[in-house]
Each structure stands twice: as structure tokens, then as C-alpha cells.
Amino acid sequence: MDFFDICENWSRDQIENEQVVRLKKSITQAMKAPFYAKLYKDAGLSADTIKSPQDIQKFPYISKEDLRDNYPNKLACVPVSEFVRMHCSSGTTGSPVAICYTKKDIENWASLMARGMYMTGIRKEDTFQNMSGYGLFTGGLGIHYGAEHLGCMTIPAGAGNTKRQIKLIKDFNVSVVHVLPSYAMHVAQQVQLEGTDPKTLPLRIALVGAEPYTDETRKRIEDILDIKVYNSFGMSEMNGPGVGMECQEQYGMHIWEDSYIIEIIDPETGLLLPEGEVGELVMTTLGREGMPVLRYRTHDLTRIIPGDCACGRKHKRIDRITGRSDDMFIMKGVNIYPMQIEQVLMAFPEVGQNYLIQLEKEGLKETLRVKVEVREENFVEDMRVLRALQDRISRRLHDEILITPVIDLVQANSLPVSEGKAKRVIDLRNN
Ligand code: ADP
Ligand code: ZN
């Protein structure tokens, strides 16, 4: 079967030789769309420019704006009658972009997804529950098709309705789930509230992704449920989920380089960064026929992990995504990413599963308020203990982000839980 076929074991040479062949084809294919044809012709570029994978650096970047400008299907490189599906990005940072897929694109995507799942140890004997929202979001059908391709009995549970999710897990002996990090924490908490020890659920693996989370959060989900959590990465522009997945080493996500080229650039200067340095991920589809996307600036911040993975696969790994360049907020002149805050919070055993960052302004005074859920058993403690906890969190955060936040300790389960991607930051400064 193709999900653990030979290309998973390719050497670097094999990967790079195939990349050249596929990149040339992708450029020719992309130039069937007037946007790419003009962009490349004006710069004197074509498939013939490519002699090695590095020659891709001669091509201009494209941005989310370019995809938005060409909405809904002006980037089509096949007759629109060849399309069998469309999806949209979630629109986390603005109006969504649309991607249309041919039958072959859908099959390739399912195969990539299945390959990633297989790598984590999922097999056809597993029962798989997909807790992503279905519909336009690629996390629904994208993961679903991958799981079916692998041969798993697949439950399209969708997002939300936590009680039903838990019942399905128990009734159908579900061994693997795909779930957003924020929702995984919520489900675990709900299981506890129902009086069940989450460790007794039949789960053994969770694929967790679609939004940033820290290693501390991963450890928490693993401990509460007594499972293995594998980071799963993707974006609609690159198909959807299945672009990158952690192997059992749990150290970085392998990107299937027979189907994608990855580069890391300095987001300010646009210059290529050496392996190991953190910057913006730029991605290129290889082999997508309906809507190839070439040298796309993802805004996601990560680094390529140098060296070979202990698992033996030669497909490069990217590190945990720390956020998007547009997630950053500035408070009192300091650049802050929400994940810096999550990392500190989740290291406190007293801290519960959810938090919310609120940016406030009164006159000229700016305040960074962090609302933090405290575990049920810790919330009953006397005021002095809670005050001391507040101070410790505030001091640790100050060490990390260099400004002193106001910490509100709140009861477990009291902050809003999103069915989709969590909204971690609320900016009230311009109200
Ligand atoms: P949108 O960009 O509007 O959220 P998508 O639903 O296509 O649309 O989401 C893709 C984005 O989700 C990625 O670009 C990235 O920012 C984020 N993402 C996906 N998987 C992960 C992950 N495992 N870790 C961190 N961020 C992720
Ligand atoms: Zn590996």
C-alpha cells in the first residue's frame, strides 16, 4: 500500500532528484493560471530555470493576499469541471482563502495523511474518532479520508458535544483521536467531571494540531489520558492536515518532501535562513494539479531541525510551530507571543487547562491581564495560598516576557471553550 511505500525510506539524493522532476512539472502546471504565468514570465523564469531544488530560490514568494485576490478559483490550473472538492482556510487572520482539488489531488492528500498516521503507529485495526469540525475546515474531511485510506474504522464525530464524544469513545472502543489541543484538555476535564478516570478510556494515541501548543501542554494531555500525543501540522493552502507529522521519536514533524519543498526565511528581509534558525516557513506543493501553490509565505514561525532523525527517515523535520508572525502582540514596547505565556502557565501543576490573555488600556496605562484557570482541588485553598500562587505566576511570566502581568485566578471550566481554534488573546486597547 502506498502510505508506507518506498518514498518514506528514500535517501536524501532520491528525495532531491524527485523534487527537481516534480518542481519542474509544478511550475509548468502553475503557469496555466494567468497569475503565475505573468509573475514568472515577467521575471524570465520557467520550469527550465530549475536544475536543482535550490533553484527554487530564484522564484518570487507569494502571499496570502495573492490567494485572496484570486478567490475563488482564478488560480485553477485545470478546467473547473475537473474539480471534485473545495475547502477554505479557517480565516483565523482575515478573510479565508479557497483551495479546489481534483480527484487525484484528493487521493494524494489522503495518502499523505495516511502515511503520517502510519508513522505514529496507527494501524487499520485502530478505531479513529475525528473531533475536528467538518465542513469547509480541512481538518474534518482531510483527516477523515486519510484515516479511511489507512483502513481505520473512522467516526466523523465533528467538533463539540463533548458528552457525545466521550460516549462514542467508550461505546466504540476508540483507540485514536484527532483533536485540537485546547479541546483535548476540555474533553479530559469533562471525563473527570463525569466521574471516570480519563486513563481508563480505550485511547492510546491522539493526533493533536491545527493550532499552536507547547510541549508542556502535550505532556499534560499525555499524562491525563495516559496516551501518546503526536503533533500534526497542515494548512489549507498546502491541502490541509497531513503536511507534517511527528514520528515516534516525538522530536519535530517530518515534512513529506516528495510532496512539499520547505524553506525558512527571515520574515523581515525575506532572505533564506540556515537550518536550525527560527524564521517564517515558506512552502511549495509538488505534484498538486488543481491549484499548485509555489513559494508560499505561511507566516508560521519554526525552524528546520538540523541532522538526521533517530527514526531513520530522511524527510526533514520542522520544530513545533511557535505561532504565526501575526500572532505577536506588542505590550509596553515588548514583542510577545501567546505561546511564551502558555509555556510558563502549563509548567505550574496548580494551573488548570485553560487561560485567556487580555490586553487593556486605561488612559496611557496598558495592562496585560492573564486569566488563569486553577485546578478544582487547588481552588478551595485559602486566600493566602492563592495570592502566593498569583505572585509566583506573575514573577515567572515577568522573567519570560519582561513585563509584569495582572493574574486573575478563576475556577476550572469557567473560561470560554471554543469548538474550533482557541482565541487566546483579546485586545481591548482600542475600544
Ligand atoms: P487559518 O490559517 O485561517 O487558521 P487553516 O485552517 O488552514 O487556516 O489553518 C492552518 C494554520 O493552522 C497553519 O498555518 C498554522 O498557523 C496553524 N497550525 C496547524 N497545525 C498546527 C500545529 N500542529 N501547530 C501549530 N500551528 C498549527
Ligand atoms: Zn523521525
Side-chain angles (χ1 to χ4, degrees), residues 36-82:
Y36 283 107
K38 181 167 182 349
L39 188 67
Y40 295 166
K41 273 187 193 147
D42 285 356
L45 299 164
S46 72
D48 291 337
T49 314
I50 301 293
K51 307 276 185 278
S52 74
Q54 288 71 34
D55 287 330
I56 195 176
Q57 291 160 26
K58 298 178 177 146
F59 286 70
Y61 299 124
I62 70 157
S63 67
K64 208 157 198 147
E65 273 322 303
D66 294 322
L67 298 189
R68 284 178 182 144
D69 290 348
N70 286 288
Y71 180 89
N73 57 13
K74 289 204 270 294
L75 291 178
C77 295
V78 293
V80 288
S81 59
E82 291 302 308

mmCIF file of all heavy atoms in Angstrom, residues 36-82:
data_model
loop_
_atom_site.group_PDB
_atom_site.id
_atom_site.type_symbol
_atom_site.label_atom_id
_atom_site.label_comp_id
_atom_site.label_asym_id
_atom_site.label_seq_id
_atom_site.Cartn_x
_atom_site.Cartn_y
_atom_site.Cartn_z
ATOM 1 N N TYR A 36 0.329 33.076 -12.185
ATOM 2 C CA TYR A 36 1.700 32.551 -12.172
ATOM 3 C C TYR A 36 2.395 32.807 -13.512
ATOM 4 O O TYR A 36 3.589 33.104 -13.558
ATOM 5 C CB TYR A 36 1.703 31.042 -11.894
ATOM 6 C CG TYR A 36 1.481 30.692 -10.449
ATOM 7 C CD1 TYR A 36 0.269 30.156 -10.019
ATOM 8 C CD2 TYR A 36 2.489 30.861 -9.502
ATOM 9 C CE1 TYR A 36 0.060 29.818 -8.697
ATOM 10 C CE2 TYR A 36 2.290 30.516 -8.174
ATOM 11 C CZ TYR A 36 1.075 29.994 -7.772
ATOM 12 O OH TYR A 36 0.875 29.648 -6.458
ATOM 13 N N ALA A 37 1.623 32.679 -14.619
ATOM 14 C CA ALA A 37 2.226 32.870 -15.944
ATOM 15 C C ALA A 37 2.853 34.257 -16.027
ATOM 16 O O ALA A 37 4.005 34.422 -16.421
ATOM 17 C CB ALA A 37 1.164 32.675 -17.023
ATOM 18 N N LYS A 38 2.101 35.265 -15.578
ATOM 19 C CA LYS A 38 2.601 36.643 -15.665
ATOM 20 C C LYS A 38 3.785 36.841 -14.701
ATOM 21 O O LYS A 38 4.829 37.368 -15.089
ATOM 22 C CB LYS A 38 1.464 37.620 -15.337
ATOM 23 C CG LYS A 38 1.899 39.066 -15.422
ATOM 24 C CD LYS A 38 0.738 40.024 -15.413
ATOM 25 C CE LYS A 38 1.138 41.477 -15.545
ATOM 26 N NZ LYS A 38 2.513 41.840 -15.417
ATOM 27 N N LEU A 39 3.570 36.373 -13.466
ATOM 28 C CA LEU A 39 4.599 36.556 -12.432
ATOM 29 C C LEU A 39 5.949 35.990 -12.892
ATOM 30 O O LEU A 39 6.991 36.629 -12.738
ATOM 31 C CB LEU A 39 4.131 35.839 -11.154
ATOM 32 C CG LEU A 39 4.917 36.031 -9.877
ATOM 33 C CD1 LEU A 39 4.800 37.470 -9.389
ATOM 34 C CD2 LEU A 39 4.405 35.075 -8.777
ATOM 35 N N TYR A 40 5.926 34.793 -13.448
ATOM 36 C CA TYR A 40 7.184 34.133 -13.815
ATOM 37 C C TYR A 40 7.727 34.657 -15.147
ATOM 38 O O TYR A 40 8.928 34.864 -15.287
ATOM 39 C CB TYR A 40 7.000 32.613 -13.865
ATOM 40 C CG TYR A 40 6.684 31.995 -12.509
ATOM 41 C CD1 TYR A 40 6.210 30.695 -12.392
ATOM 42 C CD2 TYR A 40 6.861 32.723 -11.329
ATOM 43 C CE1 TYR A 40 5.915 30.132 -11.149
ATOM 44 C CE2 TYR A 40 6.560 32.180 -10.086
ATOM 45 C CZ TYR A 40 6.084 30.887 -10.005
ATOM 46 O OH TYR A 40 5.793 30.342 -8.782
ATOM 47 N N LYS A 41 6.822 34.868 -16.114
ATOM 48 C CA LYS A 41 7.302 35.339 -17.429
ATOM 49 C C LYS A 41 7.966 36.703 -17.296
ATOM 50 O O LYS A 41 9.033 36.957 -17.856
ATOM 51 C CB LYS A 41 6.149 35.402 -18.434
ATOM 52 C CG LYS A 41 5.939 34.068 -19.138
ATOM 53 C CD LYS A 41 4.896 34.186 -20.248
ATOM 54 C CE LYS A 41 4.464 32.807 -20.709
ATOM 55 N NZ LYS A 41 3.064 32.784 -21.128
ATOM 56 N N ASP A 42 7.333 37.582 -16.509
ATOM 57 C CA ASP A 42 7.904 38.925 -16.322
ATOM 58 C C ASP A 42 9.316 38.854 -15.749
ATOM 59 O O ASP A 42 10.134 39.737 -15.978
ATOM 60 C CB ASP A 42 7.029 39.764 -15.372
ATOM 61 C CG ASP A 42 5.756 40.233 -16.066
ATOM 62 O OD1 ASP A 42 5.618 39.964 -17.283
ATOM 63 O OD2 ASP A 42 4.892 40.840 -15.396
ATOM 64 N N ALA A 43 9.574 37.799 -14.950
ATOM 65 C CA ALA A 43 10.900 37.680 -14.328
ATOM 66 C C ALA A 43 11.823 36.778 -15.147
ATOM 67 O O ALA A 43 12.927 36.447 -14.698
ATOM 68 C CB ALA A 43 10.736 37.137 -12.911
ATOM 69 N N GLY A 44 11.363 36.352 -16.300
ATOM 70 C CA GLY A 44 12.171 35.489 -17.162
ATOM 71 C C GLY A 44 12.374 34.086 -16.594
ATOM 72 O O GLY A 44 13.417 33.457 -16.803
ATOM 73 N N LEU A 45 11.393 33.611 -15.831
ATOM 74 C CA LEU A 45 11.524 32.302 -15.181
ATOM 75 C C LEU A 45 10.594 31.276 -15.828
ATOM 76 O O LEU A 45 9.525 31.634 -16.332
ATOM 77 C CB LEU A 45 11.148 32.423 -13.699
ATOM 78 C CG LEU A 45 12.005 33.374 -12.858
ATOM 79 C CD1 LEU A 45 11.311 33.698 -11.544
ATOM 80 C CD2 LEU A 45 13.374 32.738 -12.607
ATOM 81 N N SER A 46 11.012 30.029 -15.786
ATOM 82 C CA SER A 46 10.149 28.944 -16.260
ATOM 83 C C SER A 46 10.662 27.650 -15.642
ATOM 84 O O SER A 46 11.645 27.664 -14.878
ATOM 85 C CB SER A 46 10.202 28.836 -17.781
ATOM 86 O OG SER A 46 11.466 28.300 -18.153
ATOM 87 N N ALA A 47 10.053 26.536 -16.024
ATOM 88 C CA ALA A 47 10.488 25.235 -15.491
ATOM 89 C C ALA A 47 11.959 24.984 -15.826
ATOM 90 O O ALA A 47 12.677 24.319 -15.067
ATOM 91 C CB ALA A 47 9.610 24.131 -16.067
ATOM 92 N N ASP A 48 12.426 25.547 -16.936
ATOM 93 C CA ASP A 48 13.822 25.328 -17.345
ATOM 94 C C ASP A 48 14.824 25.973 -16.390
ATOM 95 O O ASP A 48 16.015 25.650 -16.410
ATOM 96 C CB ASP A 48 14.063 25.899 -18.757
ATOM 97 C CG ASP A 48 13.316 25.090 -19.797
ATOM 98 O OD1 ASP A 48 13.008 23.910 -19.508
ATOM 99 O OD2 ASP A 48 13.005 25.641 -20.876
ATOM 100 N N THR A 49 14.347 26.917 -15.570
ATOM 101 C CA THR A 49 15.235 27.572 -14.596
ATOM 102 C C THR A 49 15.714 26.561 -13.542
ATOM 103 O O THR A 49 16.737 26.772 -12.897
ATOM 104 C CB THR A 49 14.470 28.718 -13.876
ATOM 105 O OG1 THR A 49 13.772 29.480 -14.859
ATOM 106 C CG2 THR A 49 15.386 29.612 -13.080
ATOM 107 N N ILE A 50 14.932 25.496 -13.365
ATOM 108 C CA ILE A 50 15.211 24.554 -12.267
ATOM 109 C C ILE A 50 16.198 23.467 -12.695
ATOM 110 O O ILE A 50 15.905 22.650 -13.566
ATOM 111 C CB ILE A 50 13.895 23.882 -11.777
ATOM 112 C CG1 ILE A 50 12.885 24.924 -11.298
ATOM 113 C CG2 ILE A 50 14.180 22.840 -10.689
ATOM 114 C CD1 ILE A 50 13.275 25.681 -10.048
ATOM 115 N N LYS A 51 17.363 23.488 -12.061
ATOM 116 C CA LYS A 51 18.338 22.404 -12.284
ATOM 117 C C LYS A 51 18.576 21.629 -10.977
ATOM 118 O O LYS A 51 18.988 20.489 -11.000
ATOM 119 C CB LYS A 51 19.695 22.985 -12.763
ATOM 120 C CG LYS A 51 19.595 23.910 -13.979
ATOM 121 C CD LYS A 51 19.594 23.129 -15.292
ATOM 122 C CE LYS A 51 19.625 24.036 -16.515
ATOM 123 N NZ LYS A 51 18.305 24.550 -16.890
ATOM 124 N N SER A 52 18.312 22.311 -9.852
ATOM 125 C CA SER A 52 18.437 21.669 -8.529
ATOM 126 C C SER A 52 17.309 22.221 -7.660
ATOM 127 O O SER A 52 16.726 23.259 -8.003
ATOM 128 C CB SER A 52 19.785 22.024 -7.897
ATOM 129 O OG SER A 52 19.738 23.369 -7.448
ATOM 130 N N PRO A 53 17.003 21.562 -6.525
ATOM 131 C CA PRO A 53 15.912 22.081 -5.680
ATOM 132 C C PRO A 53 16.195 23.522 -5.221
ATOM 133 O O PRO A 53 15.274 24.312 -5.034
ATOM 134 C CB PRO A 53 15.882 21.128 -4.483
ATOM 135 C CG PRO A 53 16.563 19.887 -4.929
ATOM 136 C CD PRO A 53 17.549 20.291 -5.985
ATOM 137 N N GLN A 54 17.480 23.864 -5.089
ATOM 138 C CA GLN A 54 17.841 25.219 -4.610
ATOM 139 C C GLN A 54 17.449 26.307 -5.624
ATOM 140 O O GLN A 54 17.292 27.465 -5.252
ATOM 141 C CB GLN A 54 19.345 25.328 -4.325
ATOM 142 C CG GLN A 54 19.815 24.581 -3.090
ATOM 143 C CD GLN A 54 19.786 23.062 -3.266
ATOM 144 O OE1 GLN A 54 20.031 22.543 -4.350
ATOM 145 N NE2 GLN A 54 19.432 22.349 -2.202
ATOM 146 N N ASP A 55 17.305 25.933 -6.883
ATOM 147 C CA ASP A 55 16.945 26.936 -7.895
ATOM 148 C C ASP A 55 15.565 27.552 -7.633
ATOM 149 O O ASP A 55 15.232 28.580 -8.209
ATOM 150 C CB ASP A 55 16.987 26.324 -9.305
ATOM 151 C CG ASP A 55 18.420 26.090 -9.763
ATOM 152 O OD1 ASP A 55 19.311 26.865 -9.330
ATOM 153 O OD2 ASP A 55 18.654 25.145 -10.533
ATOM 154 N N ILE A 56 14.819 26.920 -6.766
ATOM 155 C CA ILE A 56 13.511 27.485 -6.405
ATOM 156 C C ILE A 56 13.692 28.891 -5.821
ATOM 157 O O ILE A 56 12.799 29.736 -5.890
ATOM 158 C CB ILE A 56 12.763 26.557 -5.405
ATOM 159 C CG1 ILE A 56 11.290 26.952 -5.339
ATOM 160 C CG2 ILE A 56 13.399 26.579 -4.037
ATOM 161 C CD1 ILE A 56 10.438 26.067 -4.467
ATOM 162 N N GLN A 57 14.899 29.131 -5.258
ATOM 163 C CA GLN A 57 15.145 30.443 -4.627
ATOM 164 C C GLN A 57 15.124 31.590 -5.630
ATOM 165 O O GLN A 57 15.052 32.751 -5.241
ATOM 166 C CB GLN A 57 16.494 30.419 -3.897
ATOM 167 C CG GLN A 57 16.469 29.522 -2.667
ATOM 168 C CD GLN A 57 17.858 29.096 -2.226
ATOM 169 O OE1 GLN A 57 18.831 29.788 -2.478
ATOM 170 N NE2 GLN A 57 17.959 27.941 -1.592
ATOM 171 N N LYS A 58 15.184 31.270 -6.915
ATOM 172 C CA LYS A 58 15.128 32.329 -7.934
ATOM 173 C C LYS A 58 13.694 32.818 -8.151
ATOM 174 O O LYS A 58 13.469 33.838 -8.796
ATOM 175 C CB LYS A 58 15.696 31.797 -9.253
ATOM 176 C CG LYS A 58 17.152 31.384 -9.133
ATOM 177 C CD LYS A 58 17.703 30.798 -10.425
ATOM 178 C CE LYS A 58 19.188 30.491 -10.242
ATOM 179 N NZ LYS A 58 19.608 29.297 -10.981
ATOM 180 N N PHE A 59 12.726 32.067 -7.632
ATOM 181 C CA PHE A 59 11.316 32.403 -7.875
ATOM 182 C C PHE A 59 10.777 33.321 -6.782
ATOM 183 O O PHE A 59 11.184 33.212 -5.625
ATOM 184 C CB PHE A 59 10.483 31.116 -7.957
ATOM 185 C CG PHE A 59 10.698 30.375 -9.251
ATOM 186 C CD1 PHE A 59 11.909 29.738 -9.506
ATOM 187 C CD2 PHE A 59 9.719 30.342 -10.226
ATOM 188 C CE1 PHE A 59 12.138 29.076 -10.715
ATOM 189 C CE2 PHE A 59 9.933 29.684 -11.432
ATOM 190 C CZ PHE A 59 11.146 29.055 -11.675
ATOM 191 N N PRO A 60 9.838 34.215 -7.149
ATOM 192 C CA PRO A 60 9.298 35.134 -6.129
ATOM 193 C C PRO A 60 8.375 34.411 -5.142
ATOM 194 O O PRO A 60 7.809 33.370 -5.463
ATOM 195 C CB PRO A 60 8.497 36.141 -6.959
ATOM 196 C CG PRO A 60 8.192 35.452 -8.242
ATOM 197 C CD PRO A 60 9.290 34.460 -8.488
ATOM 198 N N TYR A 61 8.249 34.979 -3.958
ATOM 199 C CA TYR A 61 7.297 34.450 -2.968
ATOM 200 C C TYR A 61 5.883 34.825 -3.369
ATOM 201 O O TYR A 61 5.675 35.826 -4.049
ATOM 202 C CB TYR A 61 7.555 35.069 -1.592
ATOM 203 C CG TYR A 61 8.915 34.797 -1.033
ATOM 204 C CD1 TYR A 61 9.752 35.844 -0.648
ATOM 205 C CD2 TYR A 61 9.370 33.495 -0.871
ATOM 206 C CE1 TYR A 61 11.009 35.601 -0.124
ATOM 207 C CE2 TYR A 61 10.631 33.244 -0.348
ATOM 208 C CZ TYR A 61 11.442 34.301 0.020
ATOM 209 O OH TYR A 61 12.678 34.058 0.532
ATOM 210 N N ILE A 62 4.927 34.036 -2.909
ATOM 211 C CA ILE A 62 3.545 34.527 -3.000
ATOM 212 C C ILE A 62 2.949 34.570 -1.586
ATOM 213 O O ILE A 62 3.426 33.900 -0.664
ATOM 214 C CB ILE A 62 2.666 33.723 -3.978
ATOM 215 C CG1 ILE A 62 2.371 32.330 -3.443
ATOM 216 C CG2 ILE A 62 3.280 33.630 -5.368
ATOM 217 C CD1 ILE A 62 1.126 31.784 -4.086
ATOM 218 N N SER A 63 1.935 35.402 -1.432
ATOM 219 C CA SER A 63 1.413 35.670 -0.087
ATOM 220 C C SER A 63 -0.051 35.270 0.009
ATOM 221 O O SER A 63 -0.691 34.960 -0.996
ATOM 222 C CB SER A 63 1.525 37.167 0.203
ATOM 223 O OG SER A 63 0.631 37.845 -0.669
ATOM 224 N N LYS A 64 -0.542 35.319 1.236
ATOM 225 C CA LYS A 64 -1.964 35.051 1.456
ATOM 226 C C LYS A 64 -2.814 36.056 0.665
ATOM 227 O O LYS A 64 -3.881 35.715 0.159
ATOM 228 C CB LYS A 64 -2.263 35.162 2.957
ATOM 229 C CG LYS A 64 -3.421 34.300 3.391
ATOM 230 C CD LYS A 64 -3.383 33.962 4.885
ATOM 231 C CE LYS A 64 -4.275 32.781 5.154
ATOM 232 N NZ LYS A 64 -3.876 31.898 6.204
ATOM 233 N N GLU A 65 -2.311 37.298 0.550
ATOM 234 C CA GLU A 65 -3.026 38.328 -0.217
ATOM 235 C C GLU A 65 -3.224 37.891 -1.664
ATOM 236 O O GLU A 65 -4.286 38.095 -2.247
ATOM 237 C CB GLU A 65 -2.245 39.655 -0.202
ATOM 238 C CG GLU A 65 -2.540 40.543 0.984
ATOM 239 C CD GLU A 65 -4.006 40.531 1.399
ATOM 240 O OE1 GLU A 65 -4.853 40.856 0.538
ATOM 241 O OE2 GLU A 65 -4.324 40.191 2.552
ATOM 242 N N ASP A 66 -2.176 37.280 -2.250
ATOM 243 C CA ASP A 66 -2.281 36.809 -3.637
ATOM 244 C C ASP A 66 -3.404 35.776 -3.747
ATOM 245 O O ASP A 66 -4.173 35.780 -4.706
ATOM 246 C CB ASP A 66 -0.961 36.189 -4.116
ATOM 247 C CG ASP A 66 0.149 37.230 -4.204
ATOM 248 O OD1 ASP A 66 -0.147 38.364 -4.614
ATOM 249 O OD2 ASP A 66 1.307 36.907 -3.856
ATOM 250 N N LEU A 67 -3.467 34.884 -2.759
ATOM 251 C CA LEU A 67 -4.523 33.865 -2.806
ATOM 252 C C LEU A 67 -5.890 34.509 -2.615
ATOM 253 O O LEU A 67 -6.864 34.136 -3.260
ATOM 254 C CB LEU A 67 -4.303 32.790 -1.732
ATOM 255 C CG LEU A 67 -3.013 31.974 -1.826
ATOM 256 C CD1 LEU A 67 -3.033 30.803 -0.850
ATOM 257 C CD2 LEU A 67 -2.794 31.428 -3.234
ATOM 258 N N ARG A 68 -5.946 35.497 -1.736
ATOM 259 C CA ARG A 68 -7.226 36.197 -1.513
ATOM 260 C C ARG A 68 -7.651 36.929 -2.780
ATOM 261 O O ARG A 68 -8.813 36.891 -3.168
ATOM 262 C CB ARG A 68 -7.113 37.182 -0.352
ATOM 263 C CG ARG A 68 -7.138 36.476 0.987
ATOM 264 C CD ARG A 68 -6.983 37.439 2.156
ATOM 265 N NE ARG A 68 -6.980 36.672 3.401
ATOM 266 C CZ ARG A 68 -6.247 36.963 4.462
ATOM 267 N NH1 ARG A 68 -5.464 38.015 4.466
ATOM 268 N NH2 ARG A 68 -6.321 36.206 5.533
ATOM 269 N N ASP A 69 -6.688 37.597 -3.439
ATOM 270 C CA ASP A 69 -7.008 38.352 -4.660
ATOM 271 C C ASP A 69 -7.538 37.440 -5.757
ATOM 272 O O ASP A 69 -8.272 37.878 -6.634
ATOM 273 C CB ASP A 69 -5.753 39.053 -5.219
ATOM 274 C CG ASP A 69 -5.308 40.190 -4.310
ATOM 275 O OD1 ASP A 69 -6.085 40.567 -3.415
ATOM 276 O OD2 ASP A 69 -4.171 40.664 -4.495
ATOM 277 N N ASN A 70 -7.114 36.178 -5.744
ATOM 278 C CA ASN A 70 -7.509 35.256 -6.812
ATOM 279 C C ASN A 70 -8.676 34.358 -6.400
ATOM 280 O O ASN A 70 -8.943 33.348 -7.052
ATOM 281 C CB ASN A 70 -6.305 34.417 -7.244
ATOM 282 C CG ASN A 70 -5.348 35.248 -8.066
ATOM 283 O OD1 ASN A 70 -5.637 35.586 -9.214
ATOM 284 N ND2 ASN A 70 -4.219 35.629 -7.485
ATOM 285 N N TYR A 71 -9.327 34.710 -5.297
ATOM 286 C CA TYR A 71 -10.513 33.991 -4.834
ATOM 287 C C TYR A 71 -11.611 34.118 -5.885
ATOM 288 O O TYR A 71 -11.729 35.189 -6.485
ATOM 289 C CB TYR A 71 -10.953 34.614 -3.504
ATOM 290 C CG TYR A 71 -12.176 34.014 -2.859
ATOM 291 C CD1 TYR A 71 -12.066 32.949 -1.971
ATOM 292 C CD2 TYR A 71 -13.445 34.520 -3.141
ATOM 293 C CE1 TYR A 71 -13.188 32.407 -1.370
ATOM 294 C CE2 TYR A 71 -14.571 33.967 -2.545
ATOM 295 C CZ TYR A 71 -14.430 32.919 -1.659
ATOM 296 O OH TYR A 71 -15.536 32.379 -1.069
ATOM 297 N N PRO A 72 -12.475 33.171 -6.181
ATOM 298 C CA PRO A 72 -12.466 31.847 -5.577
ATOM 299 C C PRO A 72 -11.571 30.848 -6.322
ATOM 300 O O PRO A 72 -10.955 30.017 -5.685
ATOM 301 C CB PRO A 72 -13.928 31.410 -5.688
ATOM 302 C CG PRO A 72 -14.444 32.102 -6.909
ATOM 303 C CD PRO A 72 -13.681 33.397 -7.010
ATOM 304 N N ASN A 73 -11.506 30.920 -7.673
ATOM 305 C CA ASN A 73 -10.707 29.875 -8.333
ATOM 306 C C ASN A 73 -9.911 30.390 -9.533
ATOM 307 O O ASN A 73 -9.712 29.684 -10.504
ATOM 308 C CB ASN A 73 -11.578 28.668 -8.718
ATOM 309 C CG ASN A 73 -12.723 29.062 -9.617
ATOM 310 O OD1 ASN A 73 -12.732 30.175 -10.153
ATOM 311 N ND2 ASN A 73 -13.680 28.177 -9.799
ATOM 312 N N LYS A 74 -9.429 31.622 -9.394
ATOM 313 C CA LYS A 74 -8.647 32.174 -10.508
ATOM 314 C C LYS A 74 -7.257 31.526 -10.607
ATOM 315 O O LYS A 74 -6.543 31.743 -11.571
ATOM 316 C CB LYS A 74 -8.518 33.701 -10.373
ATOM 317 C CG LYS A 74 -9.848 34.431 -10.633
ATOM 318 C CD LYS A 74 -9.659 35.869 -11.064
ATOM 319 C CE LYS A 74 -9.621 36.849 -9.929
ATOM 320 N NZ LYS A 74 -10.786 37.075 -9.111
ATOM 321 N N LEU A 75 -6.906 30.734 -9.592
ATOM 322 C CA LEU A 75 -5.615 30.034 -9.674
ATOM 323 C C LEU A 75 -5.781 28.611 -10.212
ATOM 324 O O LEU A 75 -4.858 27.793 -10.133
ATOM 325 C CB LEU A 75 -4.936 29.996 -8.302
ATOM 326 C CG LEU A 75 -4.448 31.357 -7.782
ATOM 327 C CD1 LEU A 75 -3.839 31.220 -6.402
ATOM 328 C CD2 LEU A 75 -3.433 31.976 -8.742
ATOM 329 N N ALA A 76 -6.967 28.324 -10.755
ATOM 330 C CA ALA A 76 -7.220 26.983 -11.289
ATOM 331 C C ALA A 76 -6.259 26.688 -12.437
ATOM 332 O O ALA A 76 -6.063 27.522 -13.314
ATOM 333 C CB ALA A 76 -8.661 26.882 -11.770
ATOM 334 N N CYS A 77 -5.683 25.495 -12.419
ATOM 335 C CA CYS A 77 -4.768 25.091 -13.495
ATOM 336 C C CYS A 77 -5.324 23.909 -14.269
ATOM 337 O O CYS A 77 -4.616 23.269 -15.033
ATOM 338 C CB CYS A 77 -3.413 24.737 -12.899
ATOM 339 S SG CYS A 77 -2.633 26.179 -12.162
ATOM 340 N N VAL A 78 -6.570 23.592 -14.001
ATOM 341 C CA VAL A 78 -7.293 22.572 -14.773
ATOM 342 C C VAL A 78 -8.661 23.185 -15.079
ATOM 343 O O VAL A 78 -9.058 24.146 -14.414
ATOM 344 C CB VAL A 78 -7.492 21.270 -13.952
ATOM 345 C CG1 VAL A 78 -6.161 20.582 -13.684
ATOM 346 C CG2 VAL A 78 -8.224 21.549 -12.626
ATOM 347 N N PRO A 79 -9.385 22.649 -16.075
ATOM 348 C CA PRO A 79 -10.759 23.138 -16.286
ATOM 349 C C PRO A 79 -11.560 22.942 -14.995
ATOM 350 O O PRO A 79 -11.383 21.913 -14.318
ATOM 351 C CB PRO A 79 -11.293 22.231 -17.397
ATOM 352 C CG PRO A 79 -10.088 21.623 -18.038
ATOM 353 C CD PRO A 79 -9.019 21.560 -16.988
ATOM 354 N N VAL A 80 -12.392 23.907 -14.635
ATOM 355 C CA VAL A 80 -13.064 23.809 -13.327
ATOM 356 C C VAL A 80 -13.924 22.551 -13.214
ATOM 357 O O VAL A 80 -14.200 22.075 -12.117
ATOM 358 C CB VAL A 80 -13.906 25.069 -12.989
ATOM 359 C CG1 VAL A 80 -13.007 26.245 -12.657
ATOM 360 C CG2 VAL A 80 -14.869 25.415 -14.089
ATOM 361 N N SER A 81 -14.302 21.978 -14.356
ATOM 362 C CA SER A 81 -15.091 20.733 -14.302
ATOM 363 C C SER A 81 -14.265 19.576 -13.739
ATOM 364 O O SER A 81 -14.812 18.551 -13.343
ATOM 365 C CB SER A 81 -15.603 20.379 -15.702
ATOM 366 O OG SER A 81 -14.493 20.227 -16.562
ATOM 367 N N GLU A 82 -12.935 19.728 -13.675
ATOM 368 C CA GLU A 82 -12.084 18.673 -13.119
ATOM 369 C C GLU A 82 -12.048 18.700 -11.592
ATOM 370 O O GLU A 82 -11.561 17.774 -10.960
ATOM 371 C CB GLU A 82 -10.641 18.804 -13.649
ATOM 372 C CG GLU A 82 -10.495 18.498 -15.127
ATOM 373 C CD GLU A 82 -10.966 17.091 -15.465
ATOM 374 O OE1 GLU A 82 -10.510 16.144 -14.819
ATOM 375 O OE2 GLU A 82 -11.841 16.962 -16.362
#
